[in-house]
Amino acid sequence: CVMNFDGAQGWLVGEANQGLACMFTMMNDARFQVGLQGLGIAEAAFQGGLAYARERLQSRSLAGPVAAQKPADPIIVHPDVRRMLLTQKTLTEGCRMLGIYTARQLDLEHGAISAPARQAAARRAALLIPIVKAFFTDVGQEVASLGVQVYGGHGYIREWGMEQLVRDSRITQLYEGTNGIQALDLIRRKVLGDGGAELNLLIDEMALHVRAANALGGLQAMATAVGQRLEEWRALSAHVVEACERDPQESGAVSVDFLAYSAYVLLAAMWLQAAVRAQATLAAGSAETAFYRAKLDAATFYWRRILPRATAHREALLGGADCLMALPASDFAF
Ligand SMILES: Cc1cc2nc3c(=O)[nH]c(=O)nc-3n(C[C@H](O)[C@H](O)[C@H](O)COP(=O)(O)OP(=O)(O)OC[C@H]3O[C@@H](n4cnc5c(N)ncnc54)[C@H](O)[C@@H]3O)c2cc1C
């Protein structure tokens, strides 16, 4: 609906020129919650896709019939359907882990005992909020679209609910500041704002998961890959800070790719943390082997099949501002 307030009177609430500061207190909270809205939509799309893929019969497994007594195998046997489901699962669970980590910072910002700890949590939350808002809602849209794809033609029609998730997730990329604006917030206010200092502290903390994985054993290849990405992220942010100081167009040119790159590497650290916990719990003799083995398999899928997306974002942002700004506005249609 649209409401017009023609001829309406407005009143100033609070002090003049203090509104923006008040608004940012509200916006941090609202942006976090919109991120969680994207995550909730992703979860619903994954649950729908998983249930359908276990039931829908179509074709036979490439390795030979799995449900020989039935006219066809359930589509969950097909590698491409598994690619879609695992993409849904690992993006959704990865965002859930990052969401819980961010929520903890918001709690500590208000509840930590010492003032320095409260301030440190506030800085960490401020850095993460634009990533949570933009990346989780982009994930919501991608995972909802994959939900439609898993259902095939049934995904497109209204009856099964998947198409509604695509429509509902689309607004989350726009309101509370478009995702493009979130990316500018990350690069300009949160990274350039302190020369990358808080980002480096976050990278240091994420590197602790690499150390834990190496100490545990059995996860060396994944730990090495995540450790290399974390150092690549540190070097990339130093490059971006330097490039943005040289050319004011750069911050707007790198912003969206830098946010996506950061999110994919952060989720890799989250999945490594989950793998460490799963490996340690299995080694301690847990009876819940299927649950923890599933976490290890999912972490491996994320590392091998999703994390490579970070390379594309890195290469794109290193392409610089020139190729974006060269074409005159009048010549775009040529
Ligand atoms: C259903 C719905 C509900 C809403 N609810 C509320 C509400 O409750 N309260 C409220 O206050 N608002 C609400 N909004 C408004 C919403 O927050 C804005 O629509 C949103 O922030 C985008 O602003 P805009 O529409 O003016 O887009 P614009 O600012 O015109 O942006 C258009 C495009 O240009 C890009 N862009 C703009 N400026 C820059 C820049 N400097 N650099 C790079 N790119 C840029 C944007 O990223 C976007 O892609 C709602 C909107 C909708 C659709």
Side-chain angles (χ1 to χ4, degrees):
C1 74
V2 174
M3 288 190 286
N4 292 318
F5 295 95
D6 297 332
Q9 185 178 348
W11 283 270
L12 181 66
V13 179
E15 297 297 313
N17 300 321
Q18 297 302 311
L20 201 63
C22 296
M23 189 202 69
F24 271 113
T25 306
M26 182 274 289
M27 288 299 269
N28 249 1
D29 195 46
R31 288 175 174 180
F32 181 66
Q33 288 174 29
V34 171
L36 296 188
Q37 193 183 351
L39 175 56
I41 289 170
E43 179 64 40
F46 171 56
Q47 287 184 16
L50 178 59
Y52 191 77
R54 282 173 168 157
E55 282 179 9
R56 172 71 173 168
L57 304 180
Q58 195 64 267
S59 317
R60 287 293 182 194
S61 161
L62 293 171
V66 171
Q69 73 289 3
K70 294 186 176 166
D73 287 335
I75 60 172
I76 198 168
V77 303
H78 304 309
D80 189 55
V81 174
R82 300 174 72 89
R83 173 190 63 77
M84 292 190 278
L85 292 172
L86 281 165
T87 300
Q88 289 185 304
K89 176 181 170 65
T90 56
L91 285 174
T92 304
E93 277 184 46
C95 287
R96 199 188 306 151
M97 288 186 264
L98 182 57
I100 290 168
Y101 177 84
T102 308
R104 187 163 175 271
Q105 305 305 317
L106 290 169
D107 284 350
L108 289 171
E109 179 180 349
H110 299 292
I113 290 170
S114 75
R118 287 195 295 277
Q119 287 153 7
R123 285 193 296 274
R124 183 61 50 87
L127 176 68
L128 291 170
I129 292 286
I131 298 177
V132 167
K133 194 281 178 182
F135 190 72
F136 287 22
T137 60
D138 284 351
V139 160
Q141 176 73 189
E142 179 182 349
V143 169
S145 183
L146 283 171
V148 170
Q149 201 70 20
V150 169
Y151 277 71
H154 291 280
Y156 188 74
I157 59 176
R158 188 167 284 190
E159 188 181 346
W160 296 85
M162 288 294 120
E163 60 84 34
Q164 185 177 348
L165 296 176
V166 175
R167 276 188 286 127
D168 289 353
S169 69
R170 195 63 188 82
I171 182 60
T172 64
Q173 296 170 297
L174 297 168
Y175 60 17
E176 298 306 344
T178 63
N179 288 358
I181 295 299
Q182 303 302 318
L184 286 175
D185 178 45
L186 175 67
I187 200 76
R188 288 202 191 138
R189 293 181 63 236
K190 311 295 167 59
V191 176
L192 295 177
D194 67 2
E198 183 60 32
L199 180 60
N200 280 324
L201 290 175
L202 174 63
I203 293 172
D204 291 343
E205 189 182 321
M206 293 300 116
L208 296 177
H209 303 312
V210 178
R211 235 179 285 166
N214 285 330
L216 190 63
L219 295 168
Q220 272 86 356
M222 191 188 304
T224 301
V226 176
Q228 283 169 351
R229 285 292 182 183
L230 289 169
E231 289 317 308
E232 184 184 72
W233 189 15
R234 199 191 298 278
L236 188 64
S237 63
H239 166 85
V240 161
V241 168
E242 195 266 324
C244 292
E245 280 165 1
R246 221 175 340 103
D247 178 358
Q249 297 280 22
E250 277 289 332
S251 64
V254 301
S255 53
V256 164
D257 283 302
F258 185 77
L259 187 147
Y261 175 93
S262 304
Y264 283 119
V265 176
L266 261 176
L267 255 62
M270 295 288 139
W271 269 114
L272 181 63
Q273 181 185 19
V276 167
R277 176 63 63 89
Q279 182 93 334
T281 310
L282 285 171
S286 168
E288 291 180 89
T289 49
F291 178 84
Y292 288 108
R293 281 238 59 85
K295 296 301 168 201
L296 288 170
D297 288 342
T300 302
F301 176 86
Y302 184 89
W303 155 45
R304 301 289 294 275
R305 299 292 298 241
I306 302 292
L307 186 56
R309 293 182 185 190
T311 301
H313 289 292
R314 178 176 177 275
E315 294 293 313
L317 78 84
L318 290 175
D322 291 351
C323 61
L324 288 174
M325 306 314 292
L327 188 62
S330 56
D331 296 350
F332 265 64
F334 293 162

